[in-house]
Amino acid sequence: MGGILSGKVVLITGAGGAIGRAVAHAAAAEGASIVVNDLGVPVDGAGAADDSVAGALARQIGPRAIADGGSVADAAAARAMVRRAVDHFGRLDAVINIAGVISLTKVHRIAEAEWRRSIDINLTGAFLVSRAAIDQFIAQGGGGAIVHFTSTAALIGNWGFAHYAAGKMGVVGLSRSIALGLRRHGIRSNCIAPMAWSRMLALVPEDTPERAGRVEQLRQLKPEKVAPLAVGLCADTAADVSGQIFAVRNDEIFIMSQPRPIRGIHNGDGWTPEGVGSTVLPALSGSFTPLEATEGVFTWPPL
Ligand SMILES: NC(=O)c1ccc[n+]([C@@H]2O[C@H](COP(=O)([O-])OP(=O)(O)OC[C@H]3O[C@@H](n4cnc5c(N)ncnc54)[C@H](O)[C@@H]3O)[C@@H](O)[C@H]2O)c1
């Protein structure tokens, strides 16, 4: 079978969700053999798992897909996902870390368990699956590709769900470190901040006319539109692309900036706290980042 992932084996976590499902179908259409992983949990990750989710998706895709119902937050389960790919298809070429959870709890109301669950799944899960895959990539030789899912709720900002933002910002650091540290092994790592209607975005309240209008826009965002970027980043045509952060919103794809010094001020005698207040902060203030959330930056309707 032809296609840009022809002959490649791809592990997709969270494949039973809105974006994961679209990415799994697109990867299969491009010729990949796939391990479709999903724990089948509620949107916030709390509550019982449904082990039928991954199986149903694998059956829908056909013989080149096999199911895995493990949790990305469990190290043994993460290693088992990779082993399943190798046992079944003989190798592993790419991982797409889509599994994630969210609750829109404001920072001062986040319970410790809720914080830990978010970090466990959104960040540690991405690490554990990447870690297991990297071992396999190095053992088999020839490199490998990892695609992580971050969020503009972390990169730009949100109105308070700090556990989600911290996990998703952590993923950016994880990805960048993999990209730099494993370059010599031909292992690449990139991030996608998707914008797509799913049960996650359905949590956004519609309690004011302004918010209701925004949710109406969010409903137009199609998960299928995220898939070409995720699949394309796994292909050999992206062999030189690593350490980058992309965003996608329907037919728009963006490369996102990464922090670099943008303005500095030097005092050969050193600074005092008073000097910081009287000189440094006013001098740098023209370059401060406005306190805005995603909608303050993506100000135009999706295209
Ligand atoms: N939809 C958006 O606009 C949006 C925006 C920014 C980031 N994201 C990120 O994109 C990814 C996909 O989001 P979605 O909108 O499709 O959400 P979704 O809730 O539809 O899908 C997430 C999937 O992850 C699975 N999952 C959760 N915990 C798991 C675990 N421990 N192990 C294995 N699977 C687990 C869930 O069962 C679910 O099927 C997530 O990482 C999300 O944070 C989505």
Side-chain angles (χ1 to χ4, degrees):
M1 175 173 183
I4 61 164
L5 295 187
S6 183
K8 290 198 186 290
V9 181
V10 184
L11 164 60
I12 304 173
T13 74
I19 294 173
R21 192 169 288 271
V23 171
H25 281 289
E30 288 296 339
S33 299
I34 315 169
V35 178
V36 288
N37 157 268
D38 203 288
L39 189 59
V41 282
V43 65
D44 63 355
D50 178 354
D51 61 9
S52 69
V53 171
L57 177 62
R59 278 193 299 281
Q60 217 178 62
I61 293 175
R64 278 185 302 100
I66 51 165
D68 181 286
S71 171
V72 296
D74 174 334
R79 285 193 296 271
M81 291 169 206
V82 170
R83 210 165 39 242
R84 201 182 287 278
V86 177
D87 288 350
H88 215 83
F89 300 119
R91 56 183 293 112
L92 181 68
D93 298 288
V95 171
I96 310 181
N97 278 325
I98 304 179
V101 294
I102 197 169
S103 52
L104 302 192
T105 314
K106 286 191 176 173
V107 61
H108 59 293
R109 300 205 178 94
I110 297 169
E112 184 185 342
E114 193 178 2
W115 171 273
R116 289 189 188 280
R117 188 165 53 242
S118 178
I119 299 297
D120 259 14
I121 298 171
N122 291 321
L123 176 56
T124 309
F127 163 70
L128 292 173
V129 177
S130 301
R131 173 77 177 75
I134 288 165
D135 280 347
Q136 177 60 27
F137 292 157
I138 292 175
Q140 74 193 13
I146 303 177
V147 178
H148 300 280
F149 273 66
T150 183
S151 174
T152 61
L155 299 169
I156 297 172
N158 69 73
W159 43 265
F161 30 109
H163 52 337
Y164 182 74
K168 291 297 186 182
M169 208 56 153
V171 162
V172 171
L174 169 68
S175 178
R176 186 83 187 168
S177 301
I178 294 171
L180 281 163
L182 293 159
R183 189 183 192 173
R184 69 191 173 89
H185 291 283
I187 296 170
R188 306 186 290 107
S189 181
N190 291 288
C191 287
I192 296 176
M195 287 170 253
W197 182 251
S198 77
R199 63 185 189 170
M200 286 197 179
L201 293 195
L203 297 174
V204 176
E206 296 183 72
D207 49 357
T208 63
E210 195 194 359
R211 280 188 175 158
R214 177 158 159 69
V215 170
E216 200 37 55
Q217 274 194 4
L218 297 177
R219 281 202 183 89
Q220 316 304 317
L221 304 177
K222 299 182 180 61
E224 295 73 27
K225 298 288 189 178
V226 177
L229 179 61
V231 170
L233 286 172
C234 295
D236 292 338
T237 39
D240 296 330
V241 181
S242 193
Q244 305 306 311
I245 308 167
F246 298 89
V248 53
R249 191 177 72 151
N250 278 356
D251 291 329
E252 301 168 281
I253 295 180
F254 308 89
I255 183 77
M256 301 297 279
S257 61
Q258 297 190 43
R260 292 290 179 278
I262 45 177
R263 180 178 293 196
I265 180 167
H266 171 257
N267 180 349
D269 297 328
W271 293 104
T272 61
E274 288 76 13
V276 168
S278 63
T279 308
V280 176
L281 298 182
L284 300 184
S285 63
S287 299
F288 283 3
T289 304
L291 270 181
E292 59 201 358
T294 298
E295 57 271 25
V297 172
F298 286 88
T299 50
W300 65 102
L303 305 174

